[in-house]
Amino acid sequence: MSNINRKRLSDIPFSVLDLSPIVEGGSPSESFRNTLDLARHAEKWGYNRYWLAEHHNMPGIGSSATSVMIGYVAAGTSKIRVGSGGIMLPNHAPLVIAEHFGTLESLFPGRIDLGLGRAPGTDQLTARALRRDRRNDGLDFPEQLEELRAYFNPSLTSGNMHVRAIPGEGLNIPIWLLGSSGFSARLAGELGLPFAFASHFSPENTLPALELYRHHFRPSEVLDEPYAMVGLNVIAADTNDEARRLATSMYQQFLNLLRNNPSRLQPPVDNMDELWSDYEKALVQQQLGSSIIGSPETVKEKLQSFLDDTQADEIMVNAQIYDHQARLRSFEIVTEVTERKKSMD
């Protein structure tokens, strides 16, 4: 790639993905206070948007009532965009989501994003509990999306809207499609919508999905050209050794998921090899293969390499770190190495 056309880290927006981690020894109340504290710091440090993710039946994730959390964060900040990364649409009636986000946009005009996924965000038993008698495996996601978009913009449907979303109708709420494979990538491209890819847990599919999105992109009233945001685990500390130690909480989280034993976010450990087998280690490291872990210098170098590979239009940072102050420091380091901190001081 020519250096003349090379995107620099300072050229693109950076954003935050938060799962409101519930840590071992902590409580959801503490997690929510930490979420708002991180959001306020992220706003001060120049992050572009702050997204919360819908997960269920996960002892270590507090953001299950995603719309409620978005309202809480938006009310406690003043300008940062706040949204879902994402709402798992098959878990909900499209009308309910239109009303929820219509309400949020009415309360916080121009600040709300609606990111949508088609996975359940949980296990199959919990999915059935959420969806009750709906036999829904996500295959009707395009139809659900079409219905949802029509609630916001009735001109998108040829029939009469006998059911209307109030509030919601007529509001311009950006809709993003989220994905960890090619399905939503292609759909987002065909509809001319922005696309966010979950590289933080699906690294091997990242480049194929981005290529699929860009190849199938058709200009729309929303976008003239593709806009791809990529989610990425970044765990930064003042030294490589400290960052690697902090990252063991994230490794333990995925190891427990692999063992079908989800748990609260665990404190870091000195030696993961005492906890996992060689086989488990390989699986976890494969799933977390795009993660960037290290000192400011290491993070800057690896972030630039990731940007060179993906040509992302925006990067959304996730950091599952046990200690809240260490988590704040990790996000602060990202602002420093992407040359935002200087302009904000």
Side-chain angles (χ1 to χ4, degrees), residues 32-248:
F32 300 153
R33 287 195 293 271
N34 288 341
T35 278
L36 183 56
D37 188 48
L38 174 57
R40 287 171 170 165
H41 279 88
E43 181 171 79
K44 179 180 71 174
W45 291 330
Y47 281 94
N48 188 40
R49 60 186 97 236
Y50 195 101
W51 281 8
L52 294 130
E54 178 187 346
H55 290 274
H56 301 278
N57 198 28
M58 298 282 191
I61 296 176
S63 52
S64 56
T66 315
S67 299
V68 178
M69 289 298 296
I70 291 169
Y72 171 63
V73 170
T77 52
S78 60
K79 60 184 179 181
I80 194 169
R81 298 194 65 88
V82 189
S84 57
I87 291 288
M88 299 298 116
L89 189 55
N91 293 342
H92 309 277
L95 176 61
V96 171
I97 298 305
E99 292 172 340
H100 283 188
F101 279 77
T103 300
L104 288 167
E105 175 64 21
S106 298
L107 288 168
F108 310 104
R111 294 182 57 205
I112 301 300
D113 295 328
L114 175 49
L116 299 169
R118 69 183 187 101
T122 185
D123 58 88
Q124 290 304 312
L125 280 175
T126 309
R128 282 198 288 274
L130 286 162
R131 301 171 187 182
R132 307 306 297 175
D133 60 349
R134 295 183 66 205
R135 296 186 182 90
N136 191 331
D137 56 8
L139 293 178
D140 64 347
F141 179 76
E143 290 76 20
Q144 282 191 290
L145 175 62
E146 183 179 11
E147 180 184 346
L148 175 60
R149 295 182 74 200
Y151 286 128
F152 293 128
N153 182 4
S155 69
L156 293 175
T157 183
S158 56
N160 293 325
M161 293 291 290
H162 298 292
V163 178
R164 299 166 62 193
I166 301 170
E169 187 175 300
L171 296 180
N172 182 23
I173 302 170
I175 290 179
W176 293 67
L177 296 195
L178 280 55
S180 57
S181 63
F183 183 97
S184 291
R186 179 168 183 157
L187 183 61
E190 291 172 346
L191 296 175
L193 295 175
F195 176 60
F197 187 80
S199 185
H200 56 296
F201 64 80
S202 187
E204 292 183 342
N205 289 327
T206 303
L207 295 183
L210 293 176
E211 171 60 28
L212 200 62
Y213 169 61
R214 290 163 178 152
H215 176 76
H216 287 279
F217 183 84
R218 300 172 188 165
S220 68
E221 62 181 14
V222 177
L223 288 176
D224 294 327
E225 53 189 34
Y227 192 94
M229 178 163 66
V230 183
L232 183 64
N233 297 311
V234 180
I235 295 182
D238 292 316
T239 67
N240 285 324
D241 286 344
E242 177 60 14
R244 284 192 287 265
R245 186 173 186 278
L246 293 176
T248 61

Side-chain angles (χ1 to χ4, degrees), residues 247-275:
T248 61
S249 296
M250 174 180 68
Y251 289 144
Q252 291 177 78
Q253 182 179 49
F254 275 82
L255 176 62
N256 287 331
L257 285 174
L258 184 66
R259 292 173 173 174
N260 199 27
N261 182 35
S263 65
R264 293 188 172 198
L265 192 65
Q266 299 297 305
V269 296
D270 292 328
N271 185 4
M272 278 298 299
D273 288 335
E274 295 177 355
L275 300 180

